[in-house]
């Protein structure tokens, strides 16, 4: 691990001041739970010159606002969010996704903002002896001709096929969450759909966050009382394992037909993968096996397999069909 300057911010304004000074080679990282950042610092993958501890900022509350919108503080621990009574009752897809991730010990430390910024578990990204464009732009991608069983079939490029590892973010994507940030240019709100970047020619840049910007909270829209949701994760073992394919489904049905749909896939994309084509196919339809199969086909229509991960295409289709059928059984 490289040496770095450590500071603890007492409030958001102080965090902004500490992050603001610019200079050649200066790299600032905000420290929350540290379950990803500290690991990557130990591996010399992340090498910040300045680490700002934000655990004293008081952003650790879940608030239900008038009108039903939910505001989740950046420092809310995954375990607390999963067990929060309102989240479990009204947003079960999010609670289920959180409980499917990591281990109980990690969920006790990991935070909402840290999960949003969780980096890939591609073995080549974490191995400094390997070529990785995400870690060292322009060096190449050993995953393309190497061990890629767990890597992306959606959103990949000729420069990177690394998968986004999060469970929480798949559920947030299906729910239509918004990320709220504070930075040198002031506050801004970013739809989660627009928060993550595809790798393209610049896989080292994963989100639209600018230097010095701090995530303060995430908001969820209110859901109609007749909305149902669920999360399904398929993996090699039952616990402490990343998804080979997962599906977050949010469906609202009225008078026997689907009136709104939110669908996102995990374990298969370079970012949490929203499926607008599948959603559009379901709206106005009566829940049925044929409709769910068609939606799953649409969700994976752009999938591109690598040498070892072609099985994910069919696995993800079946995962989505099962998640849809469980959430809103065919009539």
């Amino acid at each position: 691990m490289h040496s770095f300057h450590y500071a603890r911010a007492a409030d958001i304004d102080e965090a902004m001041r500490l992050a603001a000074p610019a200079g050649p080679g200066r790299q600032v990282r905000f420290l929350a739970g540290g379950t990803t950042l500290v690991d990557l610092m130990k591996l010399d993958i992340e090498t910040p010159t300045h680490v700002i501890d934000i655990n004293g900022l008081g952003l650790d509350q879940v608030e239900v606002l008038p009108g039903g919108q939910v505001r989740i503080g950046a420092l809310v621990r995954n375990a607390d969010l999963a067990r929060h009574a309102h989240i479990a009752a009204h947003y079960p897809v999010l609670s289920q996704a959180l409980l499917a991730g990591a281990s109980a010990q990690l969920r006790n430390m990991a935070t909402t903002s840290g999960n949003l910024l969780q980096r890939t578990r591609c073995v080549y990204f974490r191995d400094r002896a390997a070529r990785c464009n995400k870690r060292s732009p322009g060096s190449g991608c050993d995953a393309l001709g190497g061990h890629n069983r767990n890597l992306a079939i959606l959103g990949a490029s000729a420069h990177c096929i690394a998968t986004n590892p999060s469970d929480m973010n798949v559920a947030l994507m299906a729910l239509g969450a918004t990320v709220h940030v504070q930075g040198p240019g002031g506050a801004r709100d970013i739809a989660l759909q627009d928060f993550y970047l595809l790798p393209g020619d610049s896989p080292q840049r994963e989100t639209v966050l600018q230097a010095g910007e701090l995530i303060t909270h995430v908001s969820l829209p209110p859901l109609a009382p007749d909305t149902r949701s669920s999360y399904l994760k398929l993996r090699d073992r039952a616990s402490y394992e990343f998804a080979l394919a997962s599906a977050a489904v949010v469906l609202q049905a009225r008078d026997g037909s689907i009136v709104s749909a939110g669908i996102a896939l995990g374990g298969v994309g370079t970012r949490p993968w929203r499926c607008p084509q599948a959603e559009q196919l379901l709206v106005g339809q009566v829940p049925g096996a044929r409709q769910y199969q068609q939606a799953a086909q649409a969700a994976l229509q752009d999938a591109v397999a690598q040498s070892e991960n072609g099985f994910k295409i069919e696995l993800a289709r079946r995962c989505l069909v099962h998640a849809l059928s469980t959430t809103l059984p065919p009539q």
Side-chain angles (χ1 to χ4, degrees), residues 17 27 32 45 57 78-79 94 97 108 172 194 208 216 218 244 297 300 324:
R17 288 195 299 272
Q27 296 184 45
I45 307 301
L57 270 55
N78 286 180
L94 178 54
N108 285 338
L172 291 179
D194 301 323
V208 298
T216 58
V218 174
L244 291 172
Q297 188 71 27
L300 277 297
L324 289 165

Side-chain angles (χ1 to χ4, degrees), residues 155-241:
S157 74
H159 302 280
C160 184
I161 58 172
T163 313
N164 185 288
S166 176
D167 292 291
M168 180 193 83
N169 299 337
V170 181
L172 291 179
M173 190 70 77
L175 287 166
T178 300
V179 181
H180 305 268
V181 304
Q182 183 73 39
R188 62 181 181 132
D189 306 332
I190 309 164
L192 190 62
Q193 176 64 26
D194 301 323
F195 183 75
Y196 294 102
L197 299 173
L198 293 174
D201 297 332
S202 305
Q204 74 278 8
R205 187 155 184 249
E206 298 171 350
T207 74
V208 298
L209 286 180
Q210 302 295 324
E213 284 191 321
L214 170 71
I215 297 172
T216 58
H217 62 284
V218 174
S219 61
L220 302 177
L223 299 181
D226 50 3
T227 301
R228 301 180 184 180
S229 68
S230 65
Y231 183 74
L232 176 63
K233 179 177 182 177
L234 305 181
R235 44 190 165 174
D236 284 326
R237 60 188 182 193
S239 66
Y240 199 40
E241 183 64 280

Side-chain angles (χ1 to χ4, degrees), residues 45 57 66 112 115 174 190 192 204 209 250 266 268 270 273 277 286:
I45 307 301
L57 270 55
T112 299
N115 208 320
I190 309 164
L192 190 62
Q204 74 278 8
L209 286 180
V250 182
V268 293
T270 53
W273 200 260
Q277 301 96 330
V286 174

Side-chain angles (χ1 to χ4, degrees), residues 139-150:
S139 64
C141 175
D142 280 342
L144 286 168
H147 179 56
N148 51 54
R149 178 177 181 270
N150 296 332

